[in-house]
Amino acid sequence: MPKVLVSAGPTREHLDDVRFLSNGSTGRMGYQVAAAARAAGCDVVMVSGPCQLEPPAGVSVVRVVSALDMLAACERALPTCDVVFAVAAVADHRPRLRQPGKPPKAEAYALDLVPNPDIVATLARAGGRRVIVGFSLDATTIDGLQQQARARDKLARKGLDLIVMNDVSALGSEHSAVQVLDAEGHRHAQPLQSKADTARWLVDLALHRWRTRFPPRAS
Ligand code: C5P
């Protein structure tokens, strides 16, 4: 069975020891993907940002806080992994400097932010016999074709095999309706269903792709 790496949850980018920038990801989708991969018989390592969920039984969990921590943990796990699901909602930016302690509250002030590294693109650049799956979350206000064009661009730019499209209505919800685009230009759609069912379907799709792309070498 392939070994699976899942990134999950939000990241926190600390301004000081108390305040941070983050987002509303609950981690549910990533945890469901990890559970589904484990249920399919895979060894699973999940690198998780801070969230309230109980990790699925049998999954090895590495807890991280920031995007830089998440990148380092994923890079450590990658060499033994065959399939990667980048489900984490990584903060796009972090403060250039983290202040120590809790500086007193200021009036209006500007934040000096720098971009975070793209974790899944960095993992994809490592190459190897791997299937890399990314996610693309868009506002419900953009239409389906625009959403597909953006997802296709991300798939190519980040070097992914599959990209899962969903919209912000999935954030924090128990349900999602996803479509997947693959690197050959095919589209696979699923109806609105529980995230557990979506996760099972995604894991099947990615494992099938890994098996067909990388059949066991004849000895
Ligand atoms: O570019 P965007 O944030 O829309 O891409 C989303 C996909 O890229 C998700 O799979 C997410 O986990 C991954 N990502 C990442 N590192 C980042 C930003 C996004 O791995 N810094």
Side-chain angles (χ1 to χ4, degrees), residues 6 11 16 24 32-33 45 78 103 106 133 141 160 169-170 194 208 212:
V6 181
T11 65
D16 56 39
Q32 294 284 7
V33 168
V45 51
L78 186 72
V133 185
T141 45
L160 309 175
S169 63
S194 72
H208 176 75
T212 46

Side-chain angles (χ1 to χ4, degrees), residues 7 86-92 116-121 133-137 154 157-158:
S7 74
V87 198
V90 183
D92 294 321
N116 270 327
D118 193 307
I119 297 171
V120 72
V133 185
F135 281 65
S136 182
L137 181 74
K154 259 177 234 183
R157 191 161 31 88
K158 298 182 189 236

Side-chain angles (χ1 to χ4, degrees):
M1 273 313 241
K3 189 164 174 188
V4 172
L5 169 62
V6 181
S7 74
T11 65
R12 287 183 184 173
E13 312 299 329
H14 273 268
L15 300 161
D16 56 39
D17 291 350
V18 178
R19 306 171 179 105
F20 53 80
L21 304 174
S22 192
N23 58 65
S25 165
T26 59
R28 194 175 285 131
M29 191 67 228
Y31 278 54
Q32 294 284 7
V33 168
R38 182 71 198 122
C42 303
D43 273 349
V44 183
V45 51
M46 177 171 69
V47 177
S48 174
C51 52
Q52 305 296 319
L53 303 170
E54 199 55 43
V59 167
S60 122
V61 183
V62 182
R63 293 187 188 280
V64 296
V65 175
S66 69
L68 292 180
D69 299 340
M70 184 173 273
L71 174 62
C74 288
E75 284 187 310
R76 268 195 301 276
L78 186 72
T80 58
C81 289
D82 306 296
V83 177
V84 177
F85 289 93
V87 198
V90 183
D92 294 321
H93 296 89
R94 66 179 183 280
R96 184 183 299 278
L97 291 175
R98 175 178 174 155
Q99 305 289 334
K102 181 183 181 253
K105 112 173 77 178
E107 293 300 331
Y109 68 102
L111 287 176
D112 186 9
L113 302 178
V114 294
N116 270 327
D118 193 307
I119 297 171
V120 72
T122 308
L123 301 179
R125 276 197 298 273
R129 291 163 59 89
R130 293 200 182 90
V131 167
I132 312 273
V133 185
F135 281 65
S136 182
L137 181 74
D138 272 308
T140 34
T141 45
I142 75 165
D143 72 36
L145 283 178
Q146 230 182 326
Q147 204 177 353
Q148 272 185 49
R150 286 159 65 117
R152 239 176 240 308
D153 173 66
K154 259 177 234 183
L155 179 116
R157 191 161 31 88
K158 298 182 189 236
L160 309 175
D161 294 275
L162 301 171
I163 190 153
V164 184
M165 294 162 44
N166 52 10
D167 62 51
V168 285
S169 63
L171 263 190
S173 163
E174 296 281 354
H175 294 84
S176 61
V178 302
Q179 297 186 47
V180 171
L181 306 179
D182 67 26
E184 292 73 41
H186 303 119
R187 189 160 61 94
H188 315 257
Q190 285 289 285
L192 183 68
Q193 58 190 352
S194 72
K195 284 189 175 174
D197 287 341
T198 300
R200 268 190 288 276
W201 177 76
L202 287 174
V203 164
D204 284 350
L205 195 69
L207 295 189
H208 176 75
R209 186 175 175 95
W210 183 77
R211 286 196 195 95
T212 46
R213 287 207 53 202
F214 307 115
R217 289 176 169 130
S219 50

